[in-house]
Amino acid sequence: QVQLVESGGGSVQAGGSLRLSCAVSGDLYSRNYMAWFRQVPGKEREEVALINTSDGNTLYADSVKGRFTISQDNAKNTVYLQMNSLKSDDTAMYYCATDRKYGRRWDDPSTYRLWGQGTQVTVSS
């Protein structure tokens, strides 16, 4: 069974950077889409970024555009989320997801069947 394992979270000052990794125990190319979401306790899980692993096309939430970059390394079966200019509002548990249901919105968490366990990002001001 395919598993997703996130890493790279931690604590950072506002304005700093972190790079999250999502390792896929299988062929990354066959996943088609990989997404990053985040969630704060008491709030709904919200979309962050999406990458089409076939052609490299990406989508971003407005709140992270210009600051975050999603990328992939097929040789390592890993997707990354480079986060720059971090703000306190970016504090959340970050999850990667895949197995997107056909025809569903990319920013809807229910679209994805497979999730990682999450990695915590804390940004202090």
Side-chain angles (χ1 to χ4, degrees):
Q1 182 167 343
V2 175
Q3 290 185 322
L4 307 179
V5 179
E6 300 99 332
S7 61
S11 297
V12 65
Q13 296 272 356
S17 299
L18 283 174
R19 188 178 78 159
L20 306 184
S21 300
C22 175
V24 181
S25 64
D27 183 2
L28 180 61
Y29 185 83
S30 67
R31 294 293 103 201
N32 295 323
Y33 294 96
M34 295 288 299
W36 284 98
F37 282 76
R38 64 188 182 186
Q39 188 170 24
V40 175
K43 294 190 176 181
E44 292 186 354
R45 195 166 292 191
E46 66 174 6
E47 74 283 3
V48 176
L50 174 82
I51 188 166
N52 181 324
T53 59
S54 298
D55 59 22
N57 284 337
T58 57
L59 290 172
Y60 295 93
D62 288 343
S63 59
V64 306
K65 278 181 183 176
R67 301 188 298 122
F68 290 12
T69 303
I70 187 171
S71 62
Q72 64 187 78
D73 185 332
N74 290 339
K76 296 182 178 180
N77 290 326
T78 299
V79 171
Y80 302 99
L81 184 69
Q82 178 66 44
M83 305 186 297
N84 299 328
S85 302
L86 283 162
K87 306 174 183 179
S88 55
D89 286 348
D90 296 318
T91 294
M93 184 72 79
Y94 283 72
Y95 300 90
C96 62
T98 191
D99 279 357
R100 179 182 178 185
K101 298 174 187 175
Y102 181 77
R104 298 284 296 273
R105 290 177 58 93
W106 81 271
D107 55 355
D108 179 355
S110 69
T111 291
Y112 303 89
R113 297 184 181 93
L114 186 62
W115 292 83
Q117 84 289 349
T119 186
Q120 177 68 36
V121 171
T122 302
V123 184
S124 57
S125 56

